[in-house]
Amino acid sequence: MGRAVITGLGTYVPERILSNHDLEQLVDTNDAWIVSRTGIRERRLARDDQATSDMAYEASARALADAHVEASSLDFIIVATNTPDTLFPSTAARLQARLSEKPIPGVDVQAGCTGWIYGLQMGAAFIEANMYQRVLVVASDKLSSIVDYEDRSTAVLFGDGAGAVVLESGPAGTPFGILASYLNADGRGADLLALPAGGSRSPASRETVDSRLHFLKMSGNDVFRFAVKALPEAVEVGLARGGLSLQDMDLLVPHQANERIIDAARRQLNVAEHKVVKNIERYGNTSVASIPLALEEVRQDGRLVDGMVVVLAAFGSGLTWGSTVVRWGK
Ligand code: ACO
């Protein structure tokens, strides 16, 4: 069984910055509240003419260049997103058309903010089964397209961005690559974080638009309580599946939803502060993209080095949660 190795990583964030002070002009909020309750100071917003697949393309092009491979050599494309360009066709199909003239199979994965972790396990499984040799796993979300900028309880939290990795079948006996994965979901919490209308349950109508049901709704306190349990569990189960313990973990790259959630999980796991990656301050919650964005940041600043055991752990709408355990290097 070949192991799936990350051979390329690329990310993209839009240029436009929405600061806490900008938000003060839109809703009844203030910088001090946002910083103390979430850790967020600013987030990036895509242009109106920029869709999820456009950000996905930028991140993918960088990941492919980093891996030194051509898009046409990909065997499969997975796009994790909660904000597809359109309900159908898939964002993966639109991305494929931008990346390569050659047809390549692909699919979208929707699993809340855990979507990229789901995509990584699926991509790794394709490779381990020897079905495909090279899989692009993309995360892209334009949350600003579904955030209600009249609702202060959610408007302050989210931002836009994208990330991507190339997964390839590693040489026999390689120490690097994806060591273990853990995924879970409990749909009893489905309505705690949802986009109520626009699907088959509640198709778009004048009434759904007037009721602002095409914007995401969240029961923040319930999601918070879920997250502070789910995040540590995802880390511990993922490590255990890889035959590892917390002592073996060199870096934890958690989903960036709220700094208080990350800090609570870190304390619960009793992990040193320098091992936990945080960049929520500058990007807010970019959903599926938050982990690859944080991963690229530590790679760039030199904190991520070959041989490290890195745990990527997420939670989100569904409710979903899970982790990927990687030995970094290729
Ligand atoms: N500015 C100022 N005041 C605010 C704001 C705001 N932006 N938002 C809420 N408040 C007020 C509330 O109205 C409330 O006032 P009251 O006491 O007079 O009623 C007070 O602040 C406290 O509100 P809470 O909702 O209890 O605040 P809390 O500390 O729980 O923080 C938050 C809210 C940040 C949303 C938190 O619950 C949270 O982070 N939850 C988890 C969210 C999350 O992780 N979501 C992403 C999941 S991943 C995915 O799939 C997208």
Side-chain angles (χ1 to χ4, degrees), residues 21 41 52 81-82 89 93 104 108 141 145 160 174 191 204 215 232 246 255 284-285 308 317:
H21 298 293
R41 291 181 189 274
T52 292
T81 187
N82 303 286
I104 302 165
D108 286 6
D141 258 322
S145 67
D160 300 333
T174 180
D191 293 326
F215 294 116
L246 279 167
H255 172 44
N285 179 348
M308 277 187 162
S317 167

Side-chain angles (χ1 to χ4, degrees), residues 7-65:
T7 58
L9 168 65
T11 58
Y12 171 79
V13 287
E15 279 164 30
R16 188 175 149 207
I17 293 174
L18 183 73
S19 70
N20 290 350
H21 298 293
D22 296 331
L23 276 162
E24 287 172 0
Q25 314 303 315
L26 297 175
V27 284
D28 178 15
T29 190
N30 57 80
D31 176 60
W33 190 94
I34 302 172
V35 173
S36 66
R37 305 310 290 162
T38 72
I40 303 167
R41 291 181 189 274
E42 59 185 44
R43 62 294 285 147
R44 301 298 182 100
L45 296 195
R47 298 186 312 269
D48 288 348
D49 67 347
Q50 217 173 10
T52 292
S53 68
D54 299 319
M55 295 192 292
Y57 172 78
E58 300 297 337
S60 300
R62 291 171 192 181
L64 290 162

Side-chain angles (χ1 to χ4, degrees), residues 24-276:
E24 287 172 0
Q25 314 303 315
L26 297 175
V27 284
D28 178 15
T29 190
N30 57 80
D31 176 60
W33 190 94
I34 302 172
V35 173
S36 66
R37 305 310 290 162
T38 72
I40 303 167
R41 291 181 189 274
E42 59 185 44
R43 62 294 285 147
R44 301 298 182 100
L45 296 195
R47 298 186 312 269
D48 288 348
D49 67 347
Q50 217 173 10
T52 292
S53 68
D54 299 319
M55 295 192 292
Y57 172 78
E58 300 297 337
S60 300
R62 291 171 192 181
L64 290 162
D66 189 41
H68 305 291
V69 299
E70 297 292 329
S72 57
S73 71
L74 291 169
D75 297 315
F76 201 84
I77 298 171
I78 297 171
V79 178
T81 187
N82 303 286
T83 50
D85 287 25
T86 48
L87 264 182
F88 70 89
S90 68
T91 303
R94 295 189 189 277
L95 176 63
Q96 176 274 323
R98 296 235 1 228
L99 287 174
S100 155
E101 283 182 12
K102 195 192 111 189
I104 302 165
V107 69
D108 286 6
V109 171
Q110 195 200 56
C113 299
T114 321
W116 195 60
I117 301 298
Y118 271 68
L120 286 178
Q121 187 178 39
M122 292 162 67
F126 280 142
I127 287 170
E128 287 162 11
N130 209 19
M131 188 175 280
Y132 299 127
Q133 311 306 314
R134 189 172 285 163
V135 180
L136 183 69
V137 186
V138 188
S140 185
D141 258 322
K142 185 181 176 182
L143 271 315
S144 63
S145 67
I146 55 166
V147 164
D148 185 350
Y149 288 100
E150 292 183 9
D151 172 11
R152 70 174 181 176
S153 71
T154 53
V156 301
L157 300 174
F158 299 99
D160 300 333
V165 288
V166 177
L167 290 184
E168 294 187 70
S169 183
T174 180
F176 303 123
I178 295 181
L179 307 178
S181 303
Y182 167 58
L183 301 179
N184 219 332
D186 183 354
R188 287 174 300 177
D191 293 326
L192 296 179
L193 176 48
L195 185 68
S200 60
R201 176 74 62 195
S202 181
S205 67
R206 186 176 298 273
E207 203 185 327
T208 61
V209 172
D210 289 346
S211 310
R212 306 185 77 76
L213 297 178
H214 297 275
F215 294 116
L216 73 81
K217 309 287 178 207
M218 180 172 73
S219 173
N221 288 316
D222 292 312
V223 175
F224 193 97
R225 274 193 291 276
F226 152 72
V228 295
K229 277 199 293 192
L231 193 53
E233 185 200 302
V235 174
E236 288 190 307
V237 177
L239 282 165
R241 288 194 176 178
L244 300 166
S245 71
L246 279 167
Q247 283 67 43
D248 300 308
M249 181 174 74
D250 297 303
L251 269 187
L252 169 59
V253 186
H255 172 44
Q256 312 282 312
N258 185 323
E259 189 175 22
R260 289 189 294 137
I261 294 173
I262 298 173
D263 291 343
R266 185 186 65 73
R267 283 193 298 270
Q268 215 171 306
L269 292 166
N270 198 19
V271 172
E273 225 169 328
H274 72 272
K275 290 188 174 180
V276 181

